[in-house]
Amino acid sequence: MSNQRSIKVALTGNPNSGKTTLFNAITGEIAHVGNWAGVTIEKKEGEIKKSLNKQAVQITAVDLPGAYSMSPFTSEENITSGFVKNENPDVIINIVDATNLSRSLFFTTQLLELGIPVVVALNKSDLTKKKGTTIDIKQLSKQLGCPVVETVATKGSNNGLEELISTACEVSDNGQRAPFDSTGVDMTDKKSVEASDKKRYEFVKGIVSKVEDRKVSSNIQTKQDAADRILAHKWLGIPIFAVVMWAVFSISQTHLGPLLADTFVGWIDMLYVGVEGLLGEGVSPVLSSILLDGIIGGVGAVVGFLPLIMILFFLLALLEDCGYMARVAVVMDRFFKKVGLSGKSIIPMVIGTGCAIPGVMATRTIKNERQRRTTAMLTPFMPCGAKLPVIALFAGAFFNDAAWVGTTMYFVGIAIIILGALVVQRITGEKHARSFFIMELPEYRFPSIKRATISMLSRGKAFVVKAGTIILLCNAAVQIMQTFNWQFQVVAEGAENTSILASIASPFALLLVPLGFGTWQLAAAAITGFIAKENVVGTLAVVYGITNFIDTEELALVADGSNVASVMGLTSVAALAYLMFNLFTPPCFAAIGAMNSEMEDKKWLWSGIAFQFGMGYTVAFITYQLGTLITTGALGNGFAAGLIVVAAMIAYVVHLMKKGEKKAEAELALSA
């Protein structure tokens, strides 16, 4: 194998051309696919599947971020341009969207000018046929001077992929080709490069007129246009989005999810009983407690939510694939622009609903430095997959699995993002900064069950891996700290407040009294949540001895017949405040690491973390105190102390905002 010839294939194309879908189809990888631009933010590599590779060579495909031009305007275009020019790929497969030929071929002509062998994959060709549009493949190949292969990356058979790989190997054998000239202009001169764009557009227009016969007139309003007038309407769009998200949470958290979770939790209970039987009575009670309550009980409590989470991921993947989430981005763009964010800020936040880490990493597509750093700081406010078990737990234990709880958390997150963006805009003094957002709306399509299933399984696998590593170790550590005191003596039953865990968490619990949850158990769960948000559920399971958070009937009667609210010492209002505190304070350590990488500035990083702490504390304080006042007619415990802390934080932020406004006025005066 070491002497086997290898071929490096670069996959390039415009955003939303089906490039990553094709990459997954030819490699068997499961890279994230979204039916909008900006999903791929860095190159990914994979070996071509043996079923498609009929050559005696090793073929490596490199999926590059979507680009409209070889003259990079954004960081992801810079990755693509740099790789193609500097990494010497043997052949370029240029994925061209057959439904938008004129736009796609502009980039194709630039690639052909590099002298590297190119094969055009005319993707989505099935959609053009449905519309009655025909493309003369032979004539297109003749005009471009390179092979053109029709592909349908979403199909499992007769998709043209084997022919595509075979053609790529064939042209790579021929080595460098003569550069293609579509403009007749000296490309070494910068002014000439700029002047050539007009000629290139004219050249592409001429090709399209020769090869494409489009039957559908653009003057006629299609069903797609009619749908957009409703779903992407500036006023109707948001309530429709709210209804959609409510339906998603209702299905995943209230109806279908719990039915599957009951069976899953039953298996975990069987494992618990089985291991308990294997251990027998001769095993040390401490070891038994760590293994059964700390590891199986704690991890099992988190993993028990896996069916709910996977159904949610599946439904969100369907929304992405059908093109709806791109409409959500358009609806939110008008609000984001008013607070100084880029329209591109929406994409990291949508990605962040799966996991905050890739969401934060996706901010590198934003060109403006201040907008990129602001987006990286605010993206973790969107509830991610790791926070879903926390949402599901409190929705089930305190609100009878009400779907409005999860839906509300998403919209509170959006509101905090908008408020936070406005604050940062005022503090930095860039009140008058302009933002541009150009986004191609993909066509609505029937979502692929296969792709949604693959996405669901991929995210579910990541959840299980985390549960089997980070969460397992953390819960074992929590159980050990709860079992022993500082003299490493076993804590007597009923004296858990003398344990190592209690002594560490108690000082933090005092700070949380004004928020309605000033006990060391709840403080300990919040602390471990900064390692991984799923740990909140695992730690609560360990410290309260509740291993089944799914069965609402069991939740109603735990620990000597008391209900879960009294065991945790929480009212429903305090439970809502605790939920918001865990959702809207800083994310896990890994996401903070991603923030550090994308911000590239320690001052911004620590300011962002402080802002997240302050925002989470303030939101929880207001929720608890105002909610308690409404439900009982009196303020909650610790109101005065909490008010002083919150007022001090708000006063400091207002001071920074005024300072920023003065800076902006001074800069405006100088420019005038």
Side-chain angles (χ1 to χ4, degrees):
M1 288 295 291
S2 59
N3 296 324
Q4 185 182 37
R5 188 170 74 88
S6 62
I7 295 176
K8 184 185 293 183
V9 179
L11 300 184
T12 64
N14 291 168
N16 201 43
S17 60
K19 178 175 50 59
T20 301
T21 301
L22 189 143
F23 172 77
N24 290 342
I26 64 177
T27 63
E29 299 286 337
I30 49 175
H32 179 65
V33 176
N35 196 10
W36 66 75
V39 173
T40 305
I41 54 175
E42 56 188 357
K43 65 183 179 70
K44 303 180 182 72
E45 294 189 8
E47 298 296 323
I48 301 295
K49 291 191 293 189
K50 291 181 180 179
S51 60
L52 298 175
N53 182 7
K54 304 302 182 182
Q55 318 298 316
V57 294
Q58 182 181 12
I59 310 174
T60 303
V62 182
D63 180 25
L64 298 171
Y68 290 108
S69 172
M70 285 298 290
S71 301
F73 178 74
T74 63
S75 57
E76 71 270 27
E77 286 185 335
N78 191 51
I79 294 171
T80 298
S81 176
F83 182 88
V84 171
K85 291 178 179 178
N86 303 323
E87 297 295 327
N88 301 315
D90 297 291
V91 60
I92 298 172
I93 293 181
N94 175 218
I95 293 83
V96 168
D97 184 354
T99 65
N100 205 330
L101 199 59
S102 58
R103 184 207 63 195
S104 301
L105 291 182
F106 179 88
F107 185 46
T108 304
T109 60
Q110 290 183 316
L111 294 172
L112 290 167
E113 289 165 359
L114 299 175
I116 301 172
V118 175
V119 177
V120 169
L122 195 63
N123 203 31
K124 302 183 183 180
S125 54
D126 57 328
L127 297 181
T128 60
K129 292 173 182 177
K130 286 181 180 179
K131 294 180 177 181
T133 300
T134 59
I135 298 175
D136 189 335
I137 304 300
K138 292 182 178 179
Q139 182 65 18
L140 179 60
S141 177
K142 180 181 178 181
Q143 293 291 322
L144 295 176
C146 72
V148 177
V149 180
E150 284 188 297
T151 61
V152 184
T154 55
K155 280 189 177 181
S157 59
N158 299 321
N159 50 23
L161 298 184
E162 186 175 334
E163 181 186 353
L164 177 67
I165 299 304
S166 176
T167 304
C169 291
E170 184 180 333
V171 299
S172 70
D173 291 337
N174 299 328
Q176 294 294 103
R177 47 164 285 159
F180 181 83
D181 187 5
S182 62
T183 63
V185 177
D186 178 13
M187 302 302 291
T188 59
D189 179 48
K190 184 177 179 180
K191 291 183 179 179
S192 297
V193 172
E194 295 172 355
S196 70
D197 284 352
K198 183 177 179 181
K199 291 190 175 182
R200 182 175 285 109
Y201 278 119
E202 292 174 354
F203 178 77
V204 169
K205 185 178 179 181
I207 292 178
V208 173
S209 66
K210 293 176 183 178
V211 304
E212 184 182 67
D213 183 13
R214 187 177 291 271
K215 299 297 183 182
V216 180
S217 172
S218 59
N219 295 325
I220 299 175
Q221 179 175 305
T222 65
K223 293 180 180 179
Q224 304 264 342
D225 298 327
D228 279 340
R229 288 182 182 275
I230 299 173
L231 297 179
H233 190 274
K234 64 179 182 179
W235 298 119
L236 293 177
I238 290 181
I240 290 173
F241 180 46
V243 171
V244 169
M245 291 306 297
W246 176 85
V248 166
F249 272 96
S250 180
I251 295 170
S252 62
Q253 312 295 306
T254 306
H255 297 100
L256 182 57
L259 291 177
L260 298 177
D262 285 341
T263 302
F264 199 71
V265 169
W267 296 343
I268 296 172
D269 290 341
M270 289 172 61
L271 175 64
Y272 186 100
V273 173
V275 173
E276 187 178 31
L278 289 174
L279 291 175
E281 297 181 358
V283 178
S284 165
V286 174
L287 179 61
S288 176
S289 177
I290 293 172
L291 181 59
L292 294 175
D293 300 326
I295 296 178
I296 297 179
V299 175
V302 177
V303 176
F305 289 100
L306 183 60
L308 283 71
I309 293 168
M310 291 186 72
I311 292 173
L312 181 65
F313 284 154
F314 180 79
L315 295 175
L316 290 177
L318 292 179
L319 290 177
E320 291 178 12
D321 201 33
C322 73
Y324 176 67
M325 295 306 283
R327 273 70 187 179
V328 175
V330 171
V331 170
M332 296 306 302
D333 174 56
R334 58 195 292 265
F335 298 100
F336 278 35
K337 282 182 177 178
K338 291 181 182 298
V339 295
L341 285 181
S342 165
K344 280 195 170 186
S345 300
I346 302 165
I347 295 171
M349 292 169 188
V350 173
I351 295 173
T353 58
C355 177
I357 299 168
V360 171
M361 291 173 64
T363 60
R364 66 184 60 168
T365 64
I366 301 171
K367 192 172 182 66
N368 181 282
E369 187 178 76
R370 196 268 307 170
Q371 292 175 350
R372 184 184 76 250
R373 289 171 173 171
T374 304
T375 305
M377 180 181 76
L378 298 177
T379 292
F381 283 120
M382 287 301 294
C384 65
K387 297 175 182 177
L388 293 179
V390 189
I391 296 174
L393 165 60
F394 282 86
F398 293 90
F399 302 100
N400 197 28
D401 283 326
W404 66 262
V405 177
T407 308
T408 300
M409 294 307 105
Y410 274 83
F411 279 90
V412 170
I414 292 172
I416 289 175
I417 286 169
I418 292 174
L419 176 62
L422 183 62
V423 169
V424 174
Q425 182 190 40
R426 297 294 179 90
I427 290 175
T428 57
E430 294 190 31
K431 184 178 178 181
H432 304 286
R434 299 183 67 185
S435 172
F436 299 93
F437 179 46
I438 300 174
M439 183 176 187
E440 175 201 355
L441 283 180
E443 292 191 9
Y444 292 103
R445 67 187 184 196
F446 191 81
S448 167
I449 302 299
K450 178 182 177 181
R451 285 195 298 273
T453 302
I454 291 173
S455 175
M456 175 190 71
L457 293 175
S458 174
R459 292 176 174 181
K461 178 184 175 183
F463 183 87
V464 171
V465 169
K466 187 187 287 187
T469 53
I470 298 172
I471 298 171
L472 185 149
L473 293 173
C474 187
N475 284 344
V478 167
Q479 183 65 45
I480 291 170
M481 288 191 291
Q482 183 177 248
T483 302
F484 295 97
N485 58 27
W486 287 105
Q487 286 74 42
F488 292 100
Q489 298 171 333
V490 177
V491 174
E493 187 175 348
E496 288 84 1
N497 59 351
T498 63
S499 67
I500 296 173
L501 183 65
S503 63
I504 293 174
S506 293
F508 295 97
L510 293 175
L511 299 174
L512 304 179
V513 170
L515 312 186
F517 40 88
T519 64
W520 67 265
Q521 294 95 334
L522 293 168
I527 293 170
T528 59
F530 295 121
I531 301 172
K533 288 300 179 183
E534 299 96 332
N535 277 330
V536 173
V537 174
T539 302
L540 290 175
V542 171
V543 297
Y544 289 118
I546 307 173
T547 58
N548 184 350
F549 281 130
I550 301 297
D551 191 334
T552 52
E553 292 182 3
E554 182 173 320
L555 284 174
L557 291 172
V558 297
D560 301 327
S562 302
N563 63 33
V564 69
S566 62
V567 170
M568 290 189 182
L570 292 174
T571 63
S572 58
V573 171
L576 192 62
Y578 187 70
L579 175 59
M580 290 188 174
F581 179 81
N582 282 286
L583 296 188
F584 304 126
T585 44
C588 64
F589 289 160
I592 291 175
M595 287 170 53
N596 180 48
S597 176
E598 300 305 324
M599 286 181 171
E600 299 177 332
D601 187 295
K602 288 295 187 291
K603 183 178 179 181
W604 267 89
L605 175 67
W606 290 111
S607 298
I609 293 172
F611 181 81
Q612 290 164 348
F613 266 118
M615 183 61 75
Y617 193 94
T618 301
V619 170
F621 174 78
I622 293 173
T623 300
Y624 172 63
Q625 296 294 342
L626 185 60
T628 302
L629 180 62
I630 293 172
T631 55
T632 68
L635 293 168
N637 294 331
F639 171 75
L643 182 62
I644 292 172
V645 173
V646 170
M649 290 191 293
I650 293 175
Y652 182 65
V653 170
V654 170
H655 165 71
L656 293 177
M657 290 171 62
K658 289 183 177 180
K659 188 176 178 181
E661 288 183 354
K662 289 181 180 179
K663 175 186 173 183
E665 291 173 0
E667 290 178 352
L668 191 63
L670 285 174
S671 62

